[in-house]
Amino acid sequence: MKEIFERVSIRKYQDKPVEKEKIEQILKAAMAAPSAGNQQPWEFYVVTDKEKIKALSECSPYSGCAKDAPAILVPCYRTEGLMFPEFDTIDLAIATENAWLEITSLGLGGVWLAVAPVADRMEKADAVLGIGDKLHAYALLPFGYPAEARAQQDRYDESRIHWV
């Protein structure tokens, strides 16, 4: 899949909204992720409100770049009714990666900003979105039409491979 080798962190965006059809395609890709016991612990907030975007951009010392994004996808995870609760954040990581790869395939750019497992970041994001105590923000994924271009680094390192 070429998107794996094209995906880069994009932190600057054009002042252009992302079409609803593209956002729905990103959500479909995220929800196509496998999950432990098919528990699908995810729910997603799509944030396009500028005031909410600004507030989310203040959730961590590293999320300031989100303030000018036309949209932020906030993957969240449930904490109740799960068959395998110890795998909820692993499931979310897979879903978030799927979303990020779909963002790339649609000619958009985004960046994964960690929220979980840092309690104060999670509490701030949960408060901005008005999330109850049975759902928690996992990450911020600001995205839009890129206003910067970057080449992906070649991270292949043969010294980290062990043939047995």
Side-chain angles (χ1 to χ4, degrees):
M1 198 163 99
K2 69 182 181 61
E3 288 79 10
I4 291 172
F5 299 103
E6 293 175 355
R7 181 224 45 82
V8 293
S9 295
I10 298 295
R11 294 176 175 86
K12 295 179 183 173
Y13 310 96
Q14 297 176 31
D15 186 18
K16 177 181 176 181
V18 177
E19 298 84 354
K20 184 177 181 186
E21 297 78 23
K22 288 187 177 184
I23 295 172
E24 288 174 345
Q25 190 61 34
I26 293 163
L27 293 164
K28 287 178 183 178
M31 291 184 199
S35 68
N38 199 29
Q39 65 186 352
Q40 302 176 34
W42 46 68
E43 294 189 25
F44 300 90
Y45 283 75
V46 179
V47 183
T48 57
D49 177 271
K50 291 294 182 191
E51 288 182 31
K52 297 281 187 192
I53 287 173
K54 182 179 182 318
L56 287 170
S57 77
E58 298 167 355
C59 286
S60 93
Y62 309 101
S63 58
C65 62
K67 72 179 179 356
D68 295 320
I72 299 178
L73 179 63
V74 184
C76 301
Y77 62 96
R78 290 189 309 278
T79 56
E80 291 189 352
L82 301 178
M83 184 183 312
F84 302 107
E86 61 275 15
F87 296 110
D88 54 6
T89 57
I90 295 170
D91 293 347
L92 264 289
I94 299 167
T96 302
E97 179 74 1
N98 275 13
W100 201 3
L101 292 173
E102 187 62 18
I103 285 168
T104 301
S105 80
L106 293 171
L108 303 168
V111 62
W112 184 330
L113 303 171
V115 174
V118 183
D120 70 313
R121 294 180 194 179
M122 294 171 67
E123 290 165 8
K124 288 176 184 175
D126 291 356
V128 168
L129 298 173
I131 296 175
D133 60 351
K134 293 182 172 80
L135 192 65
H136 300 288
Y138 173 73
L140 304 179
L141 195 58
F143 66 97
Y145 287 92
E148 64 178 336
R150 299 180 45 236
Q152 188 185 62
Q153 301 170 3
D154 182 357
R155 296 182 178 174
Y156 182 80
D157 181 351
E158 198 169 324
S159 71
R160 294 179 179 226
I161 300 168
H162 309 277
W163 297 88
V164 181

